[in-house]
Amino acid sequence: MKKQEQYVDNWIRERTGLGSALTAENLRAWQQERVREAEIYAAEHAAFYRDRKEALLSPEPGQHFFITAEDIRRRPEDFLCVSPKEIARIITIPTSGSTGRPKRIFFTEEDLMATADFFTPGMAYMTEPGQLVTVFMEGEQVYSIGGLLRIALERREISTRVHGFVHDLKEAEQAAQGADCLVGVPGQMALLAEAAPKLRPKTVLLSGDYVPQSVVRRLESIWECEVFQHWGMTETGYGGGVECGAHCGYHLRDADLMIEIIHPETGESVPNGTWGEVVFSAFARKGMPLLHYRTGDIGRFCPDACGCGGVLPRLDKVMGRIENTIFLHNGDAISIHQLDEVLFALDGVHDYAAKLKQNPEATLSLTIEGDADPDMITEFIHKKWSGLEIRVNSGIVERKRKRSIVREK
């Protein structure tokens, strides 16, 4: 069966030079050597790492070197290892809420083309030569997500139509006509499926945000398609990991990234199958290598083997961000991803926006796009979080790539 082929594993065999010797143990040893080389490179060329050279290269026993999003926000230029003239693209990531500096991530052309190199085997799980892919993500620039997908797919003689994010459903439906594969953000693809149920893509790739299982089921039911999921972030260079046809975890971009799972409080690595914080080292990057970067995502390595027969560890579905989990006064916790699972499971909820006010009691205000009954929504959420006061309104939701719970004082 085509989709059971080990496209990413084979790419890693070639890129690492390990070939038939590729095992989890040999790969990790190879990655650790590459990370050490990247640490030496970064300590020589980037001010941030140079100022922390001893902690980076010779940490004290029991000590761990990590960088965080806040480190990047403060002085992103201090992470540069090349001249600014060599930077092909700068991505600015706004901070959630109204305060805080944005993150700025720098990429050389070589860094970005490495992402296209990963997209080529990653997209092979869901596409075939001669097909058409429509991308509902940013794509005005050659080094945007859409632009890099176009480069990757052209190598396999696959046509690419980059539409951009969904703003007008009629225009999006027209762009999707005749496409064998659609690529987009989960909430927007769910909205498009409701508006255009007669579309028949063979496959859909969901990326750019948390993927609720309720959205996967909805797309599979309406479009009668196979849904794949991708994990990644701007900091990883977009590409991070992708599902194969067995749909049991993300096959990782191991030739460019070393992924670790740590205990969020101690910083110690946790055993495979244990949940913790996802940390990565982008050891192949030349412009702005991020080493031992704490993502704030909660994840784990899959405890079981993949149905495709792959030999490498896979990242299980990332369960959201530590920072997007809100703890209520009664001891309950609520996250945007839990809301996704609850709300997108309801008929008539096409999209939503959420605001939480916690002073003095917790009040969740929802704007629902669709024709779902507000009383039903209130009752459904109360079953999950009894300590919340719920307010539900109907309205049009602003299309955003990332959904979050807006905190209000």
Side-chain angles (χ1 to χ4, degrees):
M1 199 176 156
K2 170 187 177 293
K3 293 188 178 69
Q4 299 302 316
E5 295 186 27
Q6 297 170 22
Y7 292 108
V8 170
D9 279 20
N10 290 337
W11 172 76
I12 294 168
R13 286 187 177 94
E14 181 179 349
R15 285 286 297 271
T16 62
L18 291 171
S20 61
L22 180 68
T23 64
E25 294 76 16
N26 289 345
L27 174 66
R28 183 45 58 109
W30 180 89
Q31 289 177 327
Q32 289 171 339
E33 289 180 11
R34 302 292 85 76
V35 170
R36 187 60 174 177
E37 292 169 357
E39 290 173 340
I40 295 170
Y41 168 78
E44 292 176 351
H45 294 89
F48 179 88
Y49 295 110
R50 185 166 55 246
D51 292 344
R52 298 158 178 81
K53 185 174 181 179
E54 186 173 343
L56 174 66
L57 300 180
S58 304
E60 295 290 333
Q63 297 298 307
H64 305 280
F65 181 92
F66 296 112
I67 61 175
T68 67
E70 188 56 35
D71 292 325
I72 299 174
R73 289 190 188 102
R74 278 197 291 265
R75 290 189 62 85
E77 295 82 3
D78 284 357
F79 287 86
L80 274 178
C81 287
V82 299
S83 164
K85 292 185 292 185
E86 296 181 56
I87 296 301
R89 190 170 188 207
I90 303 172
I91 311 296
T92 300
I93 309 172
T95 302
S96 299
S98 58
T99 62
R101 295 179 179 180
K103 285 180 288 187
R104 301 179 75 211
I105 311 296
F106 299 82
F107 298 98
T108 65
E109 180 179 8
E110 180 182 354
D111 296 334
L112 293 162
M113 291 306 294
T115 294
D117 290 343
F118 172 70
F119 282 168
T120 299
M123 291 297 295
Y125 292 116
M126 63 211 75
T127 59
E128 296 180 354
Q131 291 187 332
L132 171 65
V133 176
T134 298
V135 180
F136 292 100
M137 304 188 81
E138 56 147 2
E140 294 181 1
Q141 301 179 23
V142 65
Y143 295 132
S144 64
I145 295 174
L148 293 171
L149 279 169
R150 187 192 303 277
I151 292 170
L153 291 167
E154 283 179 351
R155 296 171 180 172
R156 300 186 62 245
E157 299 181 347
I158 296 170
S159 301
T160 309
R161 180 189 296 155
V162 182
H163 175 78
F165 291 114
V166 175
H167 298 289
D168 182 286
L169 286 170
K170 288 293 184 183
E171 292 180 358
E173 180 180 359
Q174 185 176 3
Q177 291 289 343
D180 299 282
C181 175
L182 304 181
V183 179
V185 178
Q188 294 193 353
M189 291 300 94
L191 195 62
L192 181 58
E194 295 287 348
K198 294 184 179 180
L199 289 174
R200 284 296 178 269
K202 295 179 177 66
T203 58
V204 175
L205 175 64
L206 299 179
S207 185
D209 203 350
Y210 176 80
V211 182
Q213 283 305 113
S214 52
V215 169
V216 173
R217 290 191 295 268
R218 185 180 299 185
L219 296 181
E220 291 173 338
S221 173
I222 295 175
W223 283 340
E224 300 175 7
C225 63
E226 185 174 7
V227 178
F228 292 78
Q229 301 180 39
H230 170 266
W231 169 81
M233 53 204 309
T234 304
E235 292 92 328
T236 64
Y238 301 133
V242 65
E243 282 188 325
C244 71
H247 301 286
C248 52
Y250 304 111
H251 290 271
L252 295 167
R253 186 180 170 182
D254 286 318
D256 297 327
L257 306 171
M258 186 174 77
I259 308 296
E260 301 173 271
I261 309 296
I262 66 166
H263 190 288
E265 295 180 3
T266 67
E268 297 288 342
S269 294
V270 300
N272 281 0
T274 302
W275 294 97
E277 182 176 359
V278 180
V279 172
F280 74 83
S281 293
F283 54 80
R285 292 248 285 276
K286 299 303 180 185
M288 186 183 191
L290 298 181
L291 303 173
H292 312 290
Y293 179 77
R294 299 185 67 150
T295 66
D297 284 339
I298 301 172
R300 68 171 182 172
F301 286 116
C302 295
D304 301 318
C306 185
C308 73
V311 299
L312 301 180
R314 301 167 334 279
L315 187 66
D316 207 341
K317 181 169 181 171
V318 172
M319 296 306 293
R321 295 187 59 77
I322 296 171
E323 66 183 23
N324 280 342
T325 300
I326 297 173
F327 297 92
L328 306 178
H329 296 305
N330 66 350
D332 287 342
I334 181 172
S335 74
I336 191 65
H337 305 314
Q338 290 171 308
L339 271 179
D340 280 353
E341 295 289 0
V342 170
L343 291 173
F344 282 128
L346 300 176
D347 291 335
V349 177
H350 300 162
D351 206 349
Y352 76 93
K355 294 182 179 179
L356 187 72
K357 186 175 182 179
Q358 290 186 280
N359 188 16
E361 300 297 330
T363 301
L364 180 68
S365 298
L366 297 171
T367 300
I368 302 294
E369 185 170 325
D371 55 5
D373 179 10
D375 292 336
M376 176 194 67
I377 292 173
T378 299
E379 180 181 353
F380 206 70
I381 291 180
H382 269 151
K383 292 179 180 178
K384 179 76 174 177
W385 297 287
S386 58
L388 279 175
E389 179 182 343
I390 311 295
R391 296 177 183 174
V392 180
N393 298 298
S394 298
I396 302 298
V397 176
E398 180 184 357
R399 309 282 179 243
K400 292 184 178 180
R401 181 179 170 192
K402 295 282 189 180
R403 183 182 287 106
S404 62
I405 301 175
V406 177
R407 294 171 172 83
E408 293 185 330
K409 294 182 179 181

